[in-house]
Amino acid sequence: MTAPLTPPPPPRDPSSPGGWQQPAAGYTAAVPHDAISDAAGGPPPGPYGAPSYGQDGPGMKAELREGAVVTVVVALLGALLGVLWWRLAPSVPLVGDVVDDGWVVYFKDSEGEQAIGVDGTFTLLALAFGLVSAVAVFLWRRRGGVPLVVGLALGGFLGSLLAWRIGVWLGPTENVIAHARAVGKGVTFSAPLKLGAKGAWLAWPLAALIVHLGLTALFGPREPDPYEKQPPQPKDPYGAPMA
């Protein structure tokens, strides 16, 4: 008995470098979907094959523009803070006297706490403005963003500086000697508005940052979890995923 003969292998094409035949004309190799998206310059697919653009909000230019708008609007609110500080801050009484043919000015009540009240009034008003501005910005743009937060903090600081200057400008004159001469010897007059604690300038931006970050963490939009379990895909009777 002899073994069955096996057919010889097909001849290789000598023109092919690896000995393999070139694909027939009209044949198109399968290309992965991710490669097509990358080559076309389009956005990468989302978790279910849908494009993932639009989930991160507008582009960086739009965010920078919004941050600049927030900075300007919040800073302009400092004018209102300055007016309220001028109206609500307690008055510090001064008295002028003549000593050796020269005018001197001193506190009428050396143990009074009116000067501390001036700083406290500015600080409390700044904290309130920080709270209101943070809530307003969050309601306008709930998604937040770095330019928006930076604009909020910078606008709060500039608004504090503007409020300080407007309050000093609206208050009594800073030339206390001339004021004492104008009212007369021994007559009580109000001291100019003076912010002794310069750290009060930071009350508005710090309050705005804390409140805005808290609102964003509690009520801001949530990003999809990349590790979230996806629903099972339907499969055909052979176990292959159905299109």
Side-chain angles (χ1 to χ4, degrees):
M1 179 181 292
T2 59
L5 298 177
T6 57
R12 296 183 179 181
D13 187 1
S15 62
S16 176
W20 299 99
Q21 297 181 0
Q22 298 291 335
Y27 174 77
T28 303
V31 181
H33 179 69
D34 295 346
I36 298 176
S37 299
D38 295 339
Y48 301 105
S52 61
Y53 57 81
Q55 297 178 359
D56 296 335
M60 181 56 65
K61 291 184 178 180
E63 291 187 359
L64 292 175
R65 184 165 54 250
E66 292 174 356
V69 171
V70 169
T71 301
V72 174
V73 173
V74 173
L76 291 178
L77 290 177
L80 178 59
L81 174 58
V83 174
L84 292 177
W85 181 45
W86 165 61
R87 297 292 297 176
L88 299 178
S91 176
V92 180
L94 299 178
V95 175
D97 197 2
V98 179
V99 178
D100 297 334
D101 297 333
W103 281 89
V104 294
V105 177
Y106 54 90
F107 290 104
K108 182 178 180 180
D109 185 7
S110 59
E111 297 181 357
E113 298 180 355
Q114 291 87 350
I116 299 176
V118 173
D119 294 347
T121 302
F122 186 93
T123 303
L124 292 177
L125 289 173
L127 291 175
F129 271 69
L131 171 64
V132 173
S133 59
V135 173
V137 170
F138 175 76
L139 294 178
W140 180 51
R141 287 291 184 269
R142 289 180 176 269
R143 56 178 173 74
V146 175
L148 206 66
V149 175
V150 173
L152 180 62
L154 181 59
F157 181 73
L158 296 177
S160 297
L161 295 179
L162 179 62
W164 168 59
R165 293 309 307 168
I166 288 181
V168 172
W169 175 64
L170 292 176
T173 177
E174 297 185 73
N175 191 345
V176 294
I177 298 297
H179 198 176
R181 288 176 177 175
V183 299
K185 178 182 177 180
V187 179
T188 303
F189 62 95
S190 297
L193 279 178
K194 181 181 179 181
L195 191 62
K198 296 300 188 292
W201 292 339
L202 301 178
W204 186 343
L206 289 180
L209 282 178
I210 294 174
V211 174
H212 188 271
L213 292 178
L215 291 175
T216 304
L218 294 175
F219 307 106
R222 297 291 187 269
E223 296 183 358
D225 187 3
Y227 300 101
E228 184 179 0
K229 186 177 180 180
Q230 300 180 6
Q233 299 181 356
K235 298 182 179 180
D236 58 12
Y238 300 97
M242 300 178 61

